Amino acid sequence: MLTKIWTVDKTVENLYTYPQIIEAAEVLQKNEVVAFPTETVYGLGANALSDEAVNKIYEAKGRPSDNPLIVHISKMEDVDKYVEEIPEQAKKLMNAFWPGPLTVILKVKQGILSNKVTAGLPTVGIRMPNHPVALALIEASGLPIAAPSANLSGKPSPTKFQHVYKDLNGKIAGIVDGGETGVGVESTVIDCTEPIPVILRPGGTTREEIEGIIGSVGMDRQVKEEVEKPKSPGMKYTHYAPAAPMYLVDGSSAFLQETVDSMRKIGKRVGILTTDERVNTYQADLVVSCGQREQLSTVAHHLYDALRQFDQEEIDMIYGEVFPREGIGVAIMNRLLKAAGHRIIKEHTSNR
């Protein structure tokens, strides 16, 4: 398959009338798959009303079809078309954070969206992305757009056009190149079908921000365990993962360096994932910074690009630092734990 590339300047006014956007929208209307930028990561979009179109998402990604997809819209009033009801708490969250990196789970209206989108569940996740290219493309298509991240299943999500091209060139009809994304990690997913909303996936909108609008919310059991008591190695499959096995190191810089040195002594090529503050303190075959530890939003922004850099070198294993589990740090650690398959090496010292 020939993958068409449309380069779009996101600063242009009335983008939905832009020739490249119109052409990409017409491809979506033909039930083909088009990758496009959002404020979080690049999405792999298809007509959410069509089984044929949604199937092409799963085929391109190599993604299990029992994994539901998020529906992207361009106008608040579109929500009513696809859900049974919008609880008051959901309305407050939409008004506060849309357009933006928050996906709201609601009870789906039967018989409209493809069942492939909901994976047979009675609910659907909906969000309005905060990116001019995404909004223009959705508007021009006149469709709700189902879109997971535009990468091969299991790989780090794409935050640049180049990431999408590397993974999916030849597998999809087109890619809209709108430059680098902003937030860098996916949207927060919150289930608003229960009396007390529950965060199913931490992301670009923090728990603290949500609770500032609607009060206390729950946290899904699996996420809570990640935050409070990470599971032992091998308990979960990897996701967002580079090719080489990854380990998180919970300890001092010296301990991380010792761990790396022991592997290099037996001939392993080792990479380190760190931050700007420490990038020059380590010795390894490849040292990559993912941002500033003192400003975790920069770590979220650069995380997936940093993980992908290890695939460009012949690295045997990767050791990464851990981050505070608060604010956007919860989302960062959620992604890193999945990338590492929950493998954590802890430093044990007498004063700990």
Side-chain angles (χ1 to χ4, degrees), residues 243-308:
M246 183 174 180
Y247 299 80
L248 298 183
V249 179
D250 187 357
S252 64
S253 299
F255 175 69
L256 194 157
Q257 185 65 61
E258 289 169 12
T259 306
V260 169
D261 290 345
S262 66
M263 288 296 103
R264 294 181 81 196
K265 282 179 182 174
I266 59 173
K268 300 292 186 183
R269 284 181 54 80
V270 182
I272 296 177
L273 181 70
T274 181
T275 56
D276 290 356
E277 292 90 339
R278 301 177 184 174
V279 71
N280 293 319
T281 66
Y282 292 119
Q283 295 293 319
D285 295 285
L286 181 64
V287 181
V288 176
S289 172
C290 58
Q292 300 168 32
R293 179 169 288 273
E294 296 303 313
Q295 197 172 346
L296 288 182
S297 62
T298 65
V299 174
H301 176 77
H302 294 290
L303 182 62
Y304 291 139
D305 185 49
L307 289 174
R308 282 177 174 265

Side-chain angles (χ1 to χ4, degrees), residues 28 33-38 41-47 53-54 56-63 69-70 72 145-152 158 164 168 171-175:
L28 286 169
V33 176
V34 171
F36 62 96
T38 76
V41 299
Y42 270 75
L44 188 59
N47 177 7
V54 175
K56 291 176 181 176
I57 292 176
Y58 290 116
E59 289 168 8
K61 279 182 66 75
R63 176 187 173 108
L69 303 175
I70 293 169
H72 294 65
I145 301 298
S149 55
N151 56 291
L152 293 175
V164 184
L168 298 175
K171 298 176 184 291
I172 59 176
I175 306 170

Side-chain angles (χ1 to χ4, degrees), residues 94-105:
M94 292 173 189
N95 287 329
F97 299 114
W98 279 11
L102 183 73
T103 295
V104 180
I105 303 283

Side-chain angles (χ1 to χ4, degrees), residues 138-311:
I138 298 165
E139 185 72 17
S141 73
L143 298 168
I145 301 298
S149 55
N151 56 291
L152 293 175
S153 190
K155 289 295 181 185
S157 299
T159 54
K160 297 177 178 179
F161 159 77
Q162 291 86 345
H163 299 160
V164 184
Y165 188 83
K166 185 175 190 304
D167 279 11
L168 298 175
N169 181 39
K171 298 176 184 291
I172 59 176
I175 306 170
V176 180
D177 177 5
E180 193 171 350
T181 64
V183 177
V185 293
E186 294 83 354
S187 63
T188 300
V189 177
I190 186 164
D191 185 348
C192 287
T193 63
E194 300 295 334
I196 298 176
V198 176
I199 293 174
L200 304 183
R201 179 181 74 186
T205 303
T206 67
R207 181 178 188 172
E208 293 85 346
E209 289 170 331
I210 290 170
E211 291 186 333
I213 300 298
I214 61 171
S216 182
V217 299
M219 186 76 85
D220 181 72
R221 179 180 60 82
Q222 288 188 355
V223 178
K224 198 171 180 182
E225 285 175 355
E226 284 177 356
V227 174
E228 296 177 357
K229 189 177 67 174
K231 293 209 173 193
S232 59
M235 291 294 284
K236 296 185 182 174
Y237 62 86
T238 59
H239 200 54
Y240 317 110
M246 183 174 180
Y247 299 80
L248 298 183
V249 179
D250 187 357
S252 64
S253 299
F255 175 69
L256 194 157
Q257 185 65 61
E258 289 169 12
T259 306
V260 169
D261 290 345
S262 66
M263 288 296 103
R264 294 181 81 196
K265 282 179 182 174
I266 59 173
K268 300 292 186 183
R269 284 181 54 80
V270 182
I272 296 177
L273 181 70
T274 181
T275 56
D276 290 356
E277 292 90 339
R278 301 177 184 174
V279 71
N280 293 319
T281 66
Y282 292 119
Q283 295 293 319
D285 295 285
L286 181 64
V287 181
V288 176
S289 172
C290 58
Q292 300 168 32
R293 179 169 288 273
E294 296 303 313
Q295 197 172 346
L296 288 182
S297 62
T298 65
V299 174
H301 176 77
H302 294 290
L303 182 62
Y304 291 139
D305 185 49
L307 289 174
R308 282 177 174 265
Q309 288 182 44
F310 292 106
D311 288 352

Side-chain angles (χ1 to χ4, degrees), residues 23-33 47 50 52-53 56 143:
E23 188 177 336
E26 288 172 348
V27 172
L28 286 169
Q29 290 166 352
K30 293 173 183 173
N31 290 338
E32 296 295 341
V33 176
N47 177 7
S50 164
E52 175 197 2
K56 291 176 181 176
L143 298 168

